[in-house]
């Protein structure tokens, strides 16, 4: 590919010295799990998000799952999730023994539609998991208002939205708790798996520190049926090395998105991202829609331009969720999104010239469809 979808190697090599130093520091410390590197990263990440606490965990799925678990979500309970998301959001509810209850998004923003959430609430509903999809925050104010009126908990799925702002506040500081993933391809990515939970709730933070570590705060004293879901020292040290440049990297993504917005405007059949005035996205992905998505992707691939589909199959149509009996046509907005979306190249090492080249190729290929 002459323009790759995402050049992870280039992104990490921009900080080769800082990352090598961090790795060497951990190697030489002789301490590899739950130590001062994790503590330091937790403090730095909480401060960056604007929350009292951050709790490092093994991955983003666990981050959502552990919060639901700490809230006591279990069999017979329902958890409201977007009908269009990465399946991890649903799996977190399922792993608690609860039922994920899908709600359709706003077609323009791809994020959970507050107007539809209330209709999905039943006596069994315990929590809502809005996803800040593609790096843009969900409309949190009405969601928090609904949650307050129905005594529900809200955990943000911020896996794609490190640093995104909603009415000036950062993702992570918008719900009762928030879950983040540091999977290598995310805006803040480790060199392996990692995750974190942010919250202002002292009691929840305490509970989560135990839950991630065998239900133990004090070695060999187990207060709950816990898990082994820890961020390791090596990944924490690497994340601490990368966090200081994240704002700059997100700004570079924003500049590329602005180029795409301008260069892709007015192409017949091409739907561009919609950004409400209260949103400040971090462009984890720049996602367009086209009825002939596959042909567009093929044309771009032939031009040497990498694209991906996030995501090709809606969770309710996955074999994993066949038991829910939700057949095709049940969530038409999500199904259309999954059929038509295409993610264009986007990342902090991509150049403005490359964005222009991608946009010109899209225009040329779309005109011939
Ligand atoms: C990546 C992602 C997750 C899961 O994170 P992992 O660290 O891979 O477990 C959850 N939700 C969304 C929206 C994601 O993009």
């Amino acid at each position: 590919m002459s323009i790759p979808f995402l050049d992870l190697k280039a992104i990490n090599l921009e900080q080769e010295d800082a990352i090598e130093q961090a790795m060497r520091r951990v190697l030489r410390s002789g301490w590899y799990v739950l130590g001062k590197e994790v503590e330091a990263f937790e403090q730095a990440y909480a401060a960056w998000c604007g929350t009292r606490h951050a709790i490092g965990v093994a991955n983003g799925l666990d981050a959502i799952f552990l919060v639901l678990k700490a809230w006591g979500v279990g069999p017979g309970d329902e958890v409201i999730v977007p009908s269009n998301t990465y399946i991890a959001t649903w799996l977190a509810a399922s792993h608690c023994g609860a039922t994920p209850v899908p709600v359709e998004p706003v077609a323009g923003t791809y994020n959970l539609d507050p107007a539809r959430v209330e209709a999905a609430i039943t006596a069994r509903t315990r929590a809502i998991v809005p996803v800040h999809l593609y790096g843009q925050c969900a409309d949190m104010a009405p969601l928090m208002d609904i949650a307050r009126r129905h005594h529900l908990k809200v955990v943000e799925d911020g896996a794609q939205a490190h640093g995104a702002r909603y009415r000036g506040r950062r993702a992570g500081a918008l719900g009762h708790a928030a879950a983040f993933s540091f999977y290598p391809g995310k805006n803040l990515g480790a060199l392996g798996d990692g995750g974190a939970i942010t919250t202002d709730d002292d009691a929840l933070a305490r509970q989560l520190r135990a839950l991630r570590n065998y239900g133990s705060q004090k070695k060999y004293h187990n207060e709950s049926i816990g898990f082994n879901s820890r961020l390791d020292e090596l990944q924490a040290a690497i994340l601490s090395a990368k966090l200081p440049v994240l704002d700059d990297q997100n700004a570079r993504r924003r500049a590329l998105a602005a180029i795409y917005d301008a260069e892709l405007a007015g192409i017949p059949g091409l739907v561009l991202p919609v950004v409400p005035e209260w949103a400040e996205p971090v462009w984890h992905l720049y996602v367009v829609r086209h009825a002939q998505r596959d042909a567009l992707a093929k044309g771009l691939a032939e031009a040497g331009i990498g694209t991906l589909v996030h995501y090709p199959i809606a969770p309710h149509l996955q074999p994993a969720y066949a038991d829910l009996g939700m057949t095709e046509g049940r969530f038409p907005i999500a199904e259309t999104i999954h059929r038509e979306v295409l993610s264009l190249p986007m990342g902090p090492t991509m150049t403005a010239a490359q964005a222009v080249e991608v946009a010109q190729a899209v225009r040329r290929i779309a005109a011939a469809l």
Side-chain angles (χ1 to χ4, degrees), residues 59-61 85-86 88-89 131 157 159-160 181 183 186 194 311:
N59 55 65
L61 168 59
T85 180
Y86 181 55
T89 319
V131 178
D157 180 343
Q160 303 187 358
S181 164
Y183 181 76
K186 309 292 188 186
Y311 298 88

Side-chain angles (χ1 to χ4, degrees), residues 135-188:
Q136 174 166 297
C137 287
D139 194 0
M140 291 298 291
L143 290 173
M144 293 308 287
D145 183 55
I146 291 166
R148 191 158 44 243
R149 283 189 280 108
H150 293 270
H151 308 290
L152 305 177
K153 291 291 195 181
V154 177
V155 51
E156 308 163 55
D157 180 343
Q160 303 187 358
H162 319 75
R165 287 182 189 271
Y166 174 79
R167 301 190 184 280
R169 270 158 63 217
R170 273 196 164 141
L174 306 169
H176 300 115
F180 290 92
S181 164
F182 305 121
Y183 181 76
K186 309 292 188 186
N187 285 35
L188 178 59

Side-chain angles (χ1 to χ4, degrees), residues 99-148:
T99 305
V101 173
V103 168
E104 291 267 68
V106 178
T109 65
Y110 308 122
N111 276 328
L112 200 56
D113 186 350
R116 296 171 191 267
V117 166
E118 202 139 18
I121 294 172
T122 72
R124 294 167 178 272
T125 309
R126 298 287 312 280
I128 308 172
V129 193
V131 178
H132 306 318
L133 201 66
Y134 308 147
Q136 174 166 297
C137 287
D139 194 0
M140 291 298 291
L143 290 173
M144 293 308 287
D145 183 55
I146 291 166
R148 191 158 44 243

Side-chain angles (χ1 to χ4, degrees), residues 14 48 135 162-165 170 187-188 243-260 280-284 346-352 355:
E14 274 197 343
W48 192 79
H162 319 75
R165 287 182 189 271
R170 273 196 164 141
N187 285 35
L188 178 59
L243 184 60
V245 301
L246 183 54
D247 280 321
D248 174 57
Q249 291 179 329
N250 283 343
R252 290 194 243 164
R253 290 174 182 268
R254 250 193 299 282
L256 295 169
I259 293 172
Y260 276 149
E280 205 182 294
V282 288
W283 301 104
H284 173 60
M346 169 57 77
T349 59
M350 189 175 163
T351 64

